[in-house]
Each structure stands twice: as structure tokens, then as C-alpha cells.
Amino acid sequence: MSRRARRPAPGPRRTTTEPVSGPPERARPRIIGLVLGAFAVAFTLLTVTSGIQRSATVDEPMHLVAGYAALTAGDFRLDPSHPPLVRMWAALPLLAFDRSTTASEAIDRGAPRTWLSSSGPSDAARRFLYSRPDADRWVNTSRFMIVLLGLALGALVFSWAYEWLGFRVATLALTCFLLSPQILAHATLVTTDLGATLFIFAAAYLLWRVCRRPTWGNAAGLSAAVAAAVLTKFSGIVLGPIVIGMLGLAAWRRAEMSVARAAEIAALVALVTVAAIWAAYGFRYAPSASPAWVFDVSSDAASHASLPLAWLAGWIDAHHLLPNAFTQGLLSCAIGSVQRAYLFGQVSDHGWWYYFPIAFLVKTPLPLIALLLVGLGVCVVDRRRLGGWDEAFVIGPAAFYLGCAMASGINIGVRHILPIYPFVFLVASVAADRLLRVPRRTGRIALAGLMTAWVVSIGMTYPHMLTFFNTAAGGPDNGLAYLSDSNLDWGQHLKLLRQWMDDHDVRHINLAYFGQADPRYYGIDCTYLPVGVTFSSRVSQPPALPGYVAISATVLSGVYLDRQSRILYSGFRALAPAADIGHSIRVYWIDHWPEAVDAEERVDIAAAPDAEAALANRLLFTMRWPNVAAAHYRHYLRHRPKDVQALANYGTALQVTGDLAGGVAAIREAVTLAPKDPELRLSLGLALLSAGSAGEAEAAARQAIALNPQYSAAVDLLGRALAVQGRLAEAAAQFARALALDPSNAAARADLERIGKGPGVLSQFS
């Protein structure tokens, strides 16, 4: 851009953005190349080595398959909750493998209005990925593409620090980047978090440059970075107010920017972003080649009348101003912006405003936190040397992004504030540089101590960097006391579980797994336990006990479980695990399922006894798990001792487990509480007959019939009680009567046929 001559502003206001202390320290290109080369080697080794040890996390199959479908078929329907840029980047090398069919066929069978609210997207992605014998190869190859983005981000951190304060500060910032557990963890995952961090930081860096020197090259770079951020994750939209605000401030300062020039740059950013969105979606409004298949979440948005974005997105979509998948994906994310969260052992449907500050404090190495605090202090007291205007670009965007995250309801992982970390590294490097400037050796010794403690804390967790918690929080072993989900257990350790099973000669395991990777793909022979969160919930069974039970930490936290399932797993909190797999899967050896923990613990059963009764009913009648059902009925009855139906069901559960006397006693107590209930009399009669008390069973049946003469099942029970006593003729008459009352009574029909075979079948009636 040409620079227009302007009259100097009145007063002492500066018209330059350079620090008053002079130009930053520079280094020879060879030295810079050696530093960046050493960083690239170290970063690649750390990330790739740790990445190949992990199975796919919960989100990776979706991101990978969605990117592959977009590349191979131009199909953006699988999951519009994220824009496609980084997904497509990650899937790019997969084109060299083959061009298999994608998940498009499954999508074609789904309805656009219900597709996003069903399990169809996750099911289609998982089936497509794990139907391949080389699924791990796909995942690891795509992960390397994210590692490349991490290298680019590190280079940008170095570049900004170098341009701002010189070579030494840049090297210190790059060291902080290399030692960050959050960067190391997410640079090896096929998700959009690292990509969004890269492009948001790049946009802030180029915004800083364009406000200092508003050239066309800087403006073009800023536009490209903003467009890439928006096309990576919808949170990139926060760059809009950041760009407009900083350009406005730059124009107000009258340093290097006029109002007209700021407006031109803002318009260029907007135009490039809109053009890039259309280009990324193939310049097509519909999300696939099927023009009639379009997303429409307006009905869901209707229940969010206070959501301003709903009307705007609907208007944009109605006028085809942006691709349907982009607009409706953004709207669906806004509608689902409040998710269940977990913090300090508590589960909330609305989250906490202080979630991210707490997550940052426990998931960030203590030396980095110390350097950040010192660096902020240095920025305040040394503004003349550092340049207050330059500091604003480092601190302002990070603070604004953190504020937006705190105002949102998505409290599911520190990864959602990953974009603030590069700015943290810049501030921390200012502190480290100040320590090196302290006279004598005091500062250097302090910095050496901090860096040593930092390296040790990383070494104690590596290669499981996703599970990092600092020493003040108790390390990853104590992580579940604070956070769950992607902060600790994201389904990433099936490989380690299989390795542990091989090392301990465990052939079969009972598994409550939080994740989307397929245990069968890794050769894990398991019984899927009910967890209610992933695909395994649809094939869950009672465990094979005694035996090992492996439970994901996120399942133990209960954050995504219904209240019934939280109660089911609450008993494990009082047990010491036999093994802790990568800090994310806990393995227990049990002879019997542990009873629920009572109200003083996280799951307040006393406050919600109905949930435990529903759990017991589910375990007894749906899962056929009577012994655990009996335990939960017993626990529930401590709070509701006069629940007649629960008493009767408890008695049934005891009978199935072989405690005939206990079953009779429980049902008899229910009859005492409700003596005029014929169904309870019937249940008592059946229990008595099973316990060998045919005479008492006969009496109970007659009492039920007296209460309801048309009760066909009670008449049939009377016949069975008479048959067991050898009174076959009377029994046959009762069976015939039961059929006359209810011709559809299959049990009575079978009993009538059976009794015709003579006294030899009497035992079949007990």
C-alpha cells in the first residue's frame, strides 16, 4: 500500500511503534537455521514417538473420515460442526492409499433434518475407518500432517518474538513452545484444535505487522490467516472483532494507519474470507452433489429464541450467501454451545465461568505459570522498552479469546483455549529474558531451576502428554479429581490396554470404554459394559466375574453418563485399581460388582432414589443382571422402604440369584403393605411355588382370585400349585378355566397340554 503523507499529531503522542530502547538483537541466518532445525528435529521426535503409541481419540475418526469424504467425493454432510480446511489437510496423504467408498452411502439413507441429532455421523465414521485393516496407518499418517502444522506454529512463535525483541527472546519462546505438554499432545491428533491455534496466532501476528506497516503484503497475509482460521474452526470468527478493534485503535493512534486504510484492510479481510469459504466448499451451496440434501436446523434453533445468530444464519442460508454446510454447521454449534461439564468431581449441565482458568492452572507446568506471571509484571513496569502498543497485540487477543471461552458453555477441555498458549509463550519468554538480565548469576540460576523442574515434570508424563497435570494438582494420577474428557481420557489408550493384557496373560476383560476406536481392531477380547456414551452401549452385557474390569477415567467421572449409570459405577471409587493404563484406563480385579457409594460422595443417591430404582429395573429386566439389580434395590429401599413395587422386584431378583427364602420374604413384605393388590399376591404365589411351598402358593393364588375373579394368570398359578400337590384333575380344571378367561394365555395352554402327559411331569409345575 502507498503511504499517504500526514501532518504530525499534536502533543507528546508517539508516531512510531518501535521500542524506545532501539532495534532488537539479531543473529546470523546460519544460527537461526540451526536453532529452527534443532527445534524441528526435537519436536518431530517427541510428537511422532508419542503419537504412534495412542489409539484414535473420540473425535479423530470423525475428523479424518469427514476430511477424506470432502477430498474424494466433495461431500461435506458427514459432520458440518467443523469447517473442512484442516480436516482435508489431514486426510490429504490418504489419497495415495486408495479411493475407497466413503460414508456417503450411509448419509444418503439418512434424513437431513435428523442426521445431526442421531448417532449416524459417529457410527458411519467409525465403521468406515475400522472396516479397514490399515486403520492405524491412516490415523498415524494423518496425525503427521498435524505435526507439520505444529512445526509451522513453532516457527511463527519464533518469528514474532524475533521481530519484536530479538534472537534470545525468540529462542526462549521457542523453548517454551517445545516443552508445552498441551502443544505436544494436540500436535499429534487429527483434530482442529492445533490448526485453529496456528491460524489464530498467525492472524494476530500479521495484524501486529499490518498495524506497524500497512503494506499490501501484510494485509494479504492477514486476510489469508483469518480465512484459514475461520475455515478450520468456527471459533475463528472471534478474529472479526479483534481485527476491527485493533485496526480501529491503530487508526486512532495516528501512527501508521489512517481510518480509510483501516477500512480497506478490514474489507479485504472480509472479502477474502467469504471467497475462501466458497472455495473450500467447492463453490457449491449444497453440501454434496445431491442438491435436495441440505441441512436445516431451524426447528432446533426455534427453541433458542434468545440466540441472535439463529435469525442471522437463517437469513444468510435462505439467500444462499454462504454454503449450506458452513452456515448450518455454525448454527448447530451455537445451539449445542452448552454441554455437560466436569470440574472438581462435580457434574454440571451448564458449566462454570471459571472452568478455563482452573483448567489452565492445573494443566500448565508450574514453571510456565511462574514465568507468565513474572512476564506480565515485566510488561507493566517495562512498557517503554517492550513497547506498550506491541504488548497490546500479545496480551489483548489472548485475553479476548479467553473471555469468549469463559462466556461459552463448552467446558469440556483445556484444548478449547489452546490458542492462548502461543501468546503465553511470548510473555513467558519476556520473563526468562529478564531473569537472564539480572546482575550476577541469581537470575540465571533461577531460570535454570525453573527449566529443570519443567523438563522433569514433562519427563514424568511423557509420552502420555494428553494426561498432563502439574505437580501442584498432584500429577496425572490425580487428574480425575479436577477434570476429565479430553483433559485426561479421550479414548486414546486401547493399544496400551492390549499391551498390558499381553504382559499379564489376560485373555478376556470387561470393558467400560469411552471412545470411538474399536477394541476388536486391536485384538481385545472383551465384554462391553453399559456406559451409555459410545457404540458399545448397544451391545453391552453383564460382566464375566470374577475377572478384570477396565474402566475409562471419563466413565468413572460420570460426566456423560445418565444418573443411573453414574450410580452403577460409583462403587469403583472406593477401590484401588490393579493397574492404571496411561493414567486414562483403570483396571480392577473384582469377584463381584461393588455396591453403590452413598450420598456423601459425588453421586448423591439419596437425592435421586428414583434413578437407582430405574437402574435396578433396567439391570433386572433388560440386562438380566439380577445380583447387581438386587444390590441396587436393597440400596434404594434404605431410602424408600415402603415402595411396594421395588420390594416385589427385589424379591424377584433375589429368587433369580437363588435366594428363594429372601425373595419370598421381600414379596411377602410388599403384600403386607398392599394387601389388596392381586398382582402382588400372584408374585408371592410364584415365589412360594419356586421355594417348594405349594400349599402356601395355592393360598396366595386363591387370595389373588378373590381380589380379581377374572385374573387368568392367578387361576393358572392355582392350577400349577394343585398339580404339584398331585391333584391333577383339579389342576386341569383350573388350567381350562384360565384359558376360558383369557384364550391368549400361552402359559395356561402349555400347562394344560403338559398335565395331560400324566404324573411324570409334576416337577415341571414347580
Side-chain angles (χ1 to χ4, degrees):
M1 291 183 182
S2 62
R3 297 180 59 181
R4 186 183 307 167
R6 304 185 60 186
R7 180 178 300 175
R13 183 179 295 170
R14 291 175 55 216
T15 59
T16 177
T17 57
E18 293 293 333
V20 298
S21 60
E25 173 193 7
R26 300 305 179 196
R28 295 179 179 179
R30 177 183 295 180
I31 301 300
I32 294 175
L34 287 174
V35 169
L36 291 177
F39 157 74
V41 171
F43 186 79
T44 302
L45 286 175
L46 288 172
T47 52
V48 172
T49 302
S50 64
I52 60 177
Q53 300 183 45
R54 295 197 292 251
S55 54
T57 59
V58 171
D59 288 3
E60 285 184 282
M62 181 72 76
H63 288 302
L64 190 155
V65 177
Y68 185 74
L71 282 176
T72 57
D75 194 334
F76 301 93
R77 295 176 296 171
L78 181 64
D79 173 43
S81 65
H82 288 72
L85 181 61
V86 167
R87 287 174 160 184
M88 295 168 70
W89 165 260
L92 191 61
L94 304 181
L95 299 180
F97 292 174
D98 59 53
R99 298 293 184 91
S100 303
T101 57
T102 66
S104 298
E105 296 178 359
I107 303 174
D108 288 333
R109 294 192 296 267
R113 185 172 292 276
T114 59
W115 175 251
L116 295 181
S117 60
S118 70
S119 62
S122 58
D123 288 346
R126 186 190 67 257
R127 283 196 300 266
F128 175 78
L129 179 60
Y130 287 101
S131 65
R132 309 184 55 83
D134 58 348
D136 251 9
R137 184 185 176 201
W138 275 45
V139 172
N140 289 328
T141 301
S142 297
R143 283 174 172 174
F144 184 72
M145 301 299 286
I146 307 300
V147 173
L148 295 179
L149 297 183
L151 291 171
L153 178 57
L156 276 178
V157 169
F158 181 90
S159 297
W160 191 343
Y162 183 82
E163 190 172 345
W164 178 26
L165 294 173
F167 176 72
R168 184 166 66 180
V169 174
T171 303
L172 292 169
L174 192 61
T175 303
C176 293
F177 179 91
L178 180 62
L179 294 178
S180 169
Q182 301 309 318
I183 296 295
L184 292 174
H186 292 283
T188 59
L189 299 178
V190 186
T191 65
T192 58
D193 299 306
L194 196 282
T197 301
L198 165 64
F199 296 124
I200 288 173
F201 185 75
Y205 172 41
L206 289 161
L207 178 62
W208 173 68
R209 296 194 68 186
V210 84
C211 287
R212 290 166 53 122
R213 299 176 58 192
T215 65
W216 281 114
N218 284 336
L222 171 63
S223 301
V226 171
V230 172
L231 278 169
T232 296
K233 199 169 185 176
F234 287 122
S235 58
I237 293 175
V238 302
L239 286 170
I242 292 175
V243 169
I244 293 173
M246 298 308 288
L247 286 175
L249 284 175
W252 175 77
R253 291 180 75 250
R254 302 179 182 178
E256 302 289 341
M257 183 82 66
S258 67
V259 174
R261 192 170 300 162
E264 291 171 356
I265 295 173
L268 177 65
V269 171
L271 288 173
V272 169
T273 300
V274 171
I277 292 172
W278 278 107
Y281 287 91
F283 294 101
R284 186 181 61 208
Y285 168 75
S288 72
S290 302
W293 208 110
V294 293
F295 292 107
D296 181 10
V297 297
S298 57
S299 60
D300 297 326
S303 60
H304 294 71
S306 61
L307 191 67
L309 184 62
W311 178 87
L312 178 60
W315 183 82
I316 291 174
D317 198 55
H319 292 81
H320 293 196
L321 300 181
L322 290 172
N324 170 258
F326 181 86
T327 308
Q328 294 295 310
L330 174 60
L331 182 56
S332 67
C333 285
I335 292 172
S337 61
V338 177
Q339 298 185 28
R340 187 177 292 178
Y342 175 91
L343 181 66
F344 290 131
Q346 300 296 320
V347 175
S348 170
D349 290 328
H350 305 288
W352 302 267
W353 68 265
Y354 50 84
Y355 175 90
F356 285 112
I358 295 298
F360 179 86
L361 290 175
V362 299
K363 292 284 290 179
T364 303
L366 293 177
L368 179 56
I369 295 176
L371 289 173
L372 171 63
L373 295 176
V374 173
L376 290 173
V378 173
C379 288
V380 171
V381 301
D382 204 4
R383 292 179 61 196
R384 290 181 59 83
R385 184 179 70 86
L386 299 176
W389 178 240
D390 299 315
E391 291 177 355
F393 283 87
V394 174
I395 298 174
F400 183 79
Y401 193 94
L402 178 61
C404 291
M406 292 171 63
S408 75
I410 305 180
N411 295 168
I412 58 176
V414 72
R415 63 190 177 91
H416 285 282
I417 58 167
L418 195 66
I420 76 170
Y421 274 89
F423 300 96
V424 169
F425 303 146
L426 292 179
V427 176
S429 66
V430 169
D433 179 63
R434 172 53 65 92
L435 289 175
L436 292 177
R437 294 173 181 269
V438 172
R440 300 177 184 178
R441 297 182 178 179
T442 306
R444 296 184 180 184
I445 293 173
L447 181 59
L450 286 173
M451 299 308 292
T452 300
W454 191 344
V455 171
V456 169
S457 68
I458 295 297
M460 293 174 63
T461 306
Y462 186 84
H464 314 304
M465 303 313 299
L466 196 68
T467 69
F468 178 87
F469 283 79
N470 60 40
T471 52
D477 290 337
N478 197 44
L480 194 58
Y482 296 92
L483 303 166
S484 68
D485 197 88
S486 58
N487 298 297
L488 180 66
D489 164 43
W490 216 7
Q492 73 271 23
H493 279 147
L494 285 184
K495 289 183 181 180
L496 288 185
L497 177 61
R498 173 57 193 268
Q499 180 180 329
W500 178 86
M501 292 175 66
D502 290 342
D503 292 343
H504 294 80
D505 195 27
V506 176
R507 304 296 180 85
H508 177 274
I509 200 163
N510 302 289
L511 181 62
Y513 171 59
F514 172 74
Q516 285 292 330
D518 192 341
R520 295 170 299 182
Y521 177 83
Y522 298 102
I524 297 175
D525 181 22
C526 63
T527 296
Y528 292 118
L529 299 178
V531 292
V533 289
T534 59
F535 68 97
S536 62
S537 63
R538 292 189 289 277
V539 292
S540 58
Q541 302 173 14
L545 300 178
Y548 285 105
V549 176
I551 308 178
S552 294
T554 300
V555 173
L556 284 175
S557 75
V559 59
Y560 298 127
L561 302 183
D562 56 31
R563 184 163 272 172
Q564 298 176 28
S565 297
R566 270 183 269 165
I567 294 171
L568 178 64
Y569 289 98
S570 64
F572 283 93
R573 295 200 303 274
L575 303 180
D580 189 351
I581 310 298
H583 310 296
S584 72
I585 300 177
R586 298 183 181 181
V587 180
Y588 303 85
W589 172 267
I590 58 173
D591 296 311
H592 59 274
W593 197 264
E595 290 202 20
V597 175
D598 213 335
E600 67 270 17
E601 296 293 335
R602 185 168 66 245
V603 179
D604 191 352
I605 297 169
D610 292 339
E612 188 160 24
L615 169 63
N617 292 340
R618 189 175 98 194
L619 294 172
L620 177 61
F621 299 112
T622 302
M623 293 197 62
R624 310 297 180 187
W625 199 355
N627 56 327
V628 178
H632 285 284
Y633 281 126
R634 184 165 53 250
H635 202 267
Y636 166 77
L637 288 168
R638 295 175 192 169
H639 305 290
R640 298 273 182 87
K642 295 185 178 182
D643 188 321
V644 172
Q645 190 58 57
L647 277 168
N649 292 343
Y650 176 47
T652 301
L654 290 175
Q655 282 189 290
V656 176
T657 60
D659 185 359
L660 301 181
V664 169
I667 300 175
R668 198 186 296 277
E669 184 177 354
V671 170
T672 301
L673 292 171
K676 295 185 178 182
D677 189 330
E679 292 186 3
L680 288 178
R681 297 281 182 179
L682 174 65
S683 298
L684 178 59
L686 291 170
L688 289 166
L689 190 62
S690 297
S693 301
E696 290 185 274
E698 177 188 349
R702 293 188 184 279
Q703 291 167 348
I705 294 169
L707 292 169
N708 181 4
Q710 306 300 312
Y711 200 175
S712 176
V715 175
D716 179 61
L717 171 62
L718 176 58
R720 294 178 63 189
L722 293 171
V724 171
Q725 298 176 64
R727 297 153 64 181
L728 301 185
E730 295 178 68
Q734 295 302 327
F735 294 147
R737 179 187 170 197
L739 276 175
L741 291 171
D742 182 7
S744 65
N745 190 331
R749 188 180 305 279
D751 287 339
L752 186 59
E753 294 175 356
R754 190 180 298 119
I755 202 169
K757 298 179 181 179
V761 296
L762 292 181
S763 60
Q764 299 181 21
F765 291 99
S766 59

